[in-house]
Amino acid sequence: MTAPALELIGLKKNFGPAEIIRGVDLAIPRAERHAIIGPNGAGKSTLFNLISGLIPLSAGEIRLNGEAVSGKPPFEINRRGLSRSFQVTNIFPAMSVFENVRCAVLWAKGERYAFWRSVGGNRAVTERTEEVLSAINLQSRRDVQAGVLTYAEQRALEIGITMAGGANVILLDEPTAGMSKAETERAVELIRRISEGRTLLIVEHDMSVVFGLADRISVLVYGEIIATGPPAEIRASRQVRDAYLGEEVP
Amino acid sequence: MSETASVLPGMKVAASRGGWLIWTLLAAAFALAPLLFRSGTSLTMMSLMGIAIIFALSYNMLLGQTGMLSFGHAVYFGLGAYFTVHAMNAVIEARLPVPVAAMPLVGGAAGLGFALLFGWVSTKRSGTAFAMISLGLAELVGSSSLILRSFFGGEEGVSTNRTKLLRLFDWNFGAQVQVYYLIAAWCLLCIALMYALTRTPFGRMCNAVRDNPERAQFVGYDPHRVRYIAFVLSGFFAGIAGGLTAINFELANAALFGASQSGNVLLATFIGGVGHFFGPILGAILVTFLQNMLSDVTEVWQLYFGLMFIATVMYAPGGISGLIMMHRPVWRAGALSRLMPGYGMMVVPVALAAAGAILVIEMATQIGVHGAQGTTMKLLGIGFDARSVPPWLVAGAMLGVGGLLARLVGRRIAAAWDDVRAMSLTHGGVA
Ligand SMILES: Nc1ncnc2c1ncn2[C@@H]1O[C@H](COP(=O)(O)OP(=O)(O)OP(=O)(O)O)[C@@H](O)[C@H]1O
Ligand SMILES: [Mg+2]
């Protein structure tokens, strides 16, 4: 049996005396689209920060494709095939859209820290950059400074940077937050496409997105997963309704 | 670059043709400058400019490209100079067949070596921590130079003789014009290399780390490693500049890695503009020129530099290159003429206010520094007493009226800019 793409074992995180993640266990098999839902402040983003190596664990272990990655810095985890987006847009504001995407392609294409060859010389890098630009529909804005893009464009670029390296495990933190209905639909289409055959972990407040996209859903409340299962099961769960859905879904 | 050619054929070709034109013009400027400016002082100044260009560009690898503010960049410049001088003396002593033209490489190696040593710790963080450590390291090296007298030569430094090395093509580098060409060749080479660096994967990641070190980690890069490599390469080029200084003066002394040297390179880079590759080149030329000219006409020239720096930070944070590039889209849209009247008018209040400021500074200097010898002085051939009231009134009036007019004209320029922006927006919509 192959190891799960991502495995969380007894994860805990406290900030000072406050326990924010209180023992999370979760195994996500390869190529699953998995959504995490939960009320504001439940610890969803904190969970992503732990998995991606941004902040250290208080206890527990994280395995990526069977390999323990807890305690490793973010770039090591990224090189092992995990990529993430941020809830608050996190791009390279003074660089052009094209350069933003290209920077996210370089390591994956083996360029590393090369300072002895031209960045334009690697065909694979340029092709992949173009591919991502067209996937996020920003070709026409390629030479614009990323910092002056509209909000929706920046959100698209955020996804573009996340997908560019071709990671096998993708973490998206509220990718459609603040988008209009039409923009959300386009974003969901894009997410569906880029996560084809890959493992996706997505935090999302928009229930139509969640139920339309996810193979399985976990409900995180006060730092604990109270339920995990296929959408139909989660929708029907009494416990989930009481804890979360009841107040959020009209 | 064929892969991008398929996407934007016209643009790419035009860009590379423009690129060659610029490099050819630059090389021609370096080659022909001594024919235009023949005097000894010009040659000396142009030699210093070439060195300052390399030094400032190496500084901007840190500040502009990787987002690291150093207060101690002269360390690598000064150590480069010392190692070059010692290497030259060793070569002379042992009669080794090494030409003087190769000696700046020793400086580069020294700069690189010390950057490797000092850089590892200091580049862990950018921001304040990096700035403070750079200052501490500068102090450290400065005080070592007082202790290790046999290497640093105490007050008078260590001297050498550049004419005693191997001669190539019958050049002995006794004449300043030969030294100038040596510096010019190195300068051109270093400009090309540092420019090429910005167009490598590493160069692009420097910008990424400058913009957002956190995000850089999530695309697979270690910001510490990126900063460290940038620091080491920057030390290499600073060392080459130091080596050229050693050859130029046939001397290395402690002033070369002093705080004012570190401050000057920051000043030149910032005034030229950190946001564009050519900014520090302009800054180095301008600051070197003013340093030499101003120090002839006023003893408080550093004060004027300080004012210039403050003015840049406040009114043109992008420096000269930022001002130039701001006008590029306007020029392309053919709308530059709309801004010109305002700019033309601005000359008057700026000149007026500057004259007032100069008058105040020079009178204060006369009273404060030379008060004991009397307070009568001469400015532009007009004699007056710095302690009398009228000149102060004149200065105050010039400052006041200049400032007031500048505000009025400033509004006019802002309005013209609004017009131009609105125009280019509608044009952009069509295009
Ligand atoms: N660095 C930190 N230091 C202290 N407390 C923190 C820190 N980061 C998060 N928290 C706290 O942890 C809790 C969970 O925050 P988190 O951002 O993970 O919630 P979330 O589930 O993503 O919420 P939202 O839906 O609003 O994005 C919050 O109470 C927050 O204040
Ligand atoms: Mg969150």
Side-chain angles (χ1 to χ4, degrees):
Chain A
M1 202 190 98
T2 55
L6 189 65
E7 201 176 2
L8 314 179
I9 305 159
L11 281 200
K12 286 190 180 160
K13 178 68 190 178
N14 18 286
F15 292 111
E19 266 200 315
I20 301 300
I21 300 294
R22 309 193 294 173
V24 166
D25 292 278
L26 185 64
I28 302 171
R30 286 188 192 177
E32 176 172 287
R33 294 193 179 103
H34 196 108
I36 295 188
I37 60 174
N40 291 112
K44 304 179 295 293
S45 296
T46 305
L47 193 61
F48 270 24
N49 292 345
L50 293 173
I51 299 171
S52 61
L54 183 60
I55 56 175
L57 297 171
S58 301
E61 188 168 286
I62 300 166
R63 293 203 189 127
L64 182 62
N65 299 316
E67 183 194 1
V69 293
S70 6
K72 291 204 190 311
F75 50 89
E76 294 276 0
I77 296 174
N78 178 266
R79 291 171 198 171
R80 284 168 172 75
L82 182 143
S83 186
R84 70 164 293 183
S85 76
F86 289 80
Q87 184 173 353
V88 178
T89 305
N90 204 349
I91 54 179
F92 305 110
M95 292 159 60
S96 72
V97 170
F98 181 84
E99 293 298 348
N100 265 266
V101 174
R102 180 153 72 177
C103 280
V105 172
L106 288 173
W107 189 277
K109 295 293 177 197
E111 286 293 336
R112 305 171 66 93
Y113 299 99
F115 56 80
W116 49 87
R117 55 175 177 251
S118 159
V119 68
N122 187 335
R123 214 188 185 83
V125 169
T126 315
E127 271 164 14
R128 176 64 182 158
T129 307
E130 298 293 348
E131 198 179 296
V132 173
L133 279 178
S134 73
I136 58 177
N137 212 5
L138 285 181
Q139 303 110 306
S140 62
R141 306 280 274 161
R142 54 191 295 141
D143 294 325
V144 177
Q145 241 189 22
V148 304
L149 291 177
T150 66
Y151 177 78
E153 286 171 333
Q154 289 195 354
R155 293 307 296 170
L157 181 58
E158 176 79 40
I159 297 177
I161 293 174
T162 307
M163 65 178 272
N168 281 317
V169 180
I170 297 172
L171 275 53
L172 300 178
D173 196 349
E174 303 202 20
T176 70
M179 284 189 181
S180 72
K181 199 153 172 56
E183 286 162 352
T184 301
E185 265 166 34
R186 261 213 309 267
V188 169
E189 240 355 273
L190 172 64
I191 292 167
R192 196 188 302 282
R193 206 145 30 91
I194 63 168
S195 59
E196 195 66 54
R198 297 174 201 277
T199 311
L200 176 73
L201 193 57
I202 181 172
V203 168
E204 189 51 70
H205 277 299
D206 186 329
M207 286 307 136
S208 63
V209 171
V210 169
F211 285 98
L213 199 60
D215 301 319
R216 282 199 306 157
I217 299 172
S218 290
V219 184
L220 188 74
V221 179
Y222 290 121
E224 280 173 313
I225 292 185
I226 59 164
T228 296
E233 200 174 293
I234 294 296
R235 206 193 303 262
S237 159
R238 188 65 209 243
Q239 195 190 5
V240 174
R241 248 171 222 283
D242 290 349
Y244 176 56
L245 288 181
E247 39 182 301
E248 285 275 325
V249 173
Chain B
M1 317 232 150
S2 50
E3 73 287 341
T4 36
S6 59
V7 184
L8 292 161
M11 228 177 108
K12 211 63 208 179
V13 171
S16 66
R17 214 176 270 157
W20 280 113
L21 186 67
I22 287 174
W23 288 111
T24 313
L25 285 177
L26 193 65
F30 272 112
L32 300 179
L35 306 180
L36 280 174
F37 308 98
R38 292 155 183 273
S39 73
T41 31
S42 313
L43 277 177
T44 309
M45 196 195 289
M46 290 188 303
S47 303
L48 293 177
M49 282 175 181
I51 294 168
I53 288 171
I54 302 175
F55 193 27
L57 281 176
S58 82
Y59 187 77
N60 203 40
M61 283 173 73
L62 300 181
L63 182 59
Q65 272 142 33
T66 323
M68 299 150 86
L69 174 63
S70 167
F71 292 124
H73 201 49
V75 164
Y76 311 94
F77 177 80
L79 288 172
Y82 267 103
F83 276 82
T84 304
V85 163
H86 282 298
M88 283 167 75
N89 288 339
V91 165
I92 295 168
E93 183 109 348
R95 299 172 176 280
L96 293 174
V98 183
V100 76
M103 295 317 286
L105 273 180
V106 175
L112 183 138
F114 281 97
L116 269 173
L117 190 69
F118 296 150
W120 182 254
V121 180
S122 62
T123 55
K124 287 215 162 129
R125 308 231 166 286
S126 61
T128 315
F130 173 80
M132 292 302 128
I133 295 174
S134 73
L135 199 60
L137 285 170
E139 283 297 312
L140 188 91
V141 173
S143 48
S144 321
S145 76
L146 300 177
I147 301 164
L148 300 169
R149 295 184 75 91
S150 59
F151 184 83
F152 290 103
E155 305 276 275
E156 62 268 32
V158 184
S159 58
T160 184
N161 187 340
R162 67 187 176 224
T163 62
K164 293 244 168 88
L165 279 82
L166 177 75
R167 288 190 189 184
L168 290 181
F169 313 113
D170 222 26
W171 277 36
N172 69 354
F173 293 101
Q176 185 65 34
V177 66
Q178 296 185 355
V179 177
Y180 165 80
Y181 277 115
L182 174 69
I183 292 172
W186 272 101
C187 185
L188 203 58
L189 177 68
C190 289
I191 292 176
L193 284 176
M194 283 189 262
Y195 180 70
L197 258 178
T198 64
R199 323 215 356 150
T200 63
F202 161 77
R204 294 301 144 117
M205 287 318 296
C206 284
N207 298 349
V209 165
R210 170 201 66 199
D211 271 21
N212 190 345
E214 181 186 276
R215 188 54 149 148
Q217 297 195 62
F218 292 93
V219 296
Y221 282 86
D222 179 359
H224 177 207
R225 184 67 68 89
V226 173
R227 286 191 207 103
Y228 185 48
I229 299 172
F231 192 79
V232 169
L233 292 175
S234 160
F236 174 71
F237 287 106
I240 288 180
L244 288 168
T245 304
I247 293 168
N248 186 48
F249 292 121
E250 300 182 294
L251 175 76
N253 60 25
L256 293 181
F257 46 61
S260 71
Q261 195 80 9
S262 289
N264 273 339
V265 71
L266 196 171
L267 225 74
T269 306
F270 202 87
I271 289 174
V274 300
H276 300 280
F277 181 80
F278 67 93
I281 300 179
L282 298 183
I285 292 173
L286 181 72
V287 167
T288 310
F289 176 77
L290 289 179
Q291 242 166 12
N292 283 269
M293 294 327 259
L294 281 180
S295 60
D296 283 348
V297 293
T298 170
E299 53 197 312
V300 289
W301 56 274
Q302 272 156 321
L303 200 147
Y304 288 103
F305 263 120
L307 287 177
M308 223 168 91
F309 184 62
I310 293 171
T312 309
V313 173
M314 284 177 60
Y315 300 109
I320 301 168
S321 61
L323 287 179
I324 294 174
M325 295 308 270
M326 198 168 97
H327 291 89
R328 204 162 76 142
V330 183
W331 179 65
R332 285 211 174 133
L336 210 52
S337 57
R338 291 177 178 240
L339 296 172
M340 281 307 155
Y343 289 169
M345 280 194 254
M346 199 59 159
V347 171
V348 176
V350 166
L352 211 54
I358 291 170
L359 194 51
V360 167
I361 291 169
E362 294 302 326
M363 285 192 296
T365 312
Q366 185 70 29
I367 296 168
V369 183
H370 307 292
Q373 290 99 287
T375 50
T376 53
M377 57 186 288
K378 248 184 164 179
L379 222 56
L380 296 177
I382 306 164
F384 55 91
D385 182 1
R387 263 200 221 284
S388 63
V389 177
W392 287 93
L393 283 180
V394 171
M398 287 201 277
L399 274 171
V401 174
L404 208 68
L405 285 178
R407 276 190 98 111
L408 292 177
V409 180
R411 263 186 226 144
R412 208 194 135 111
I413 292 177
W417 264 104
D418 283 343
D419 278 356
V420 168
R421 284 208 189 92
M423 213 179 87
S424 66
L425 267 187
T426 49
H427 274 240
V430 175

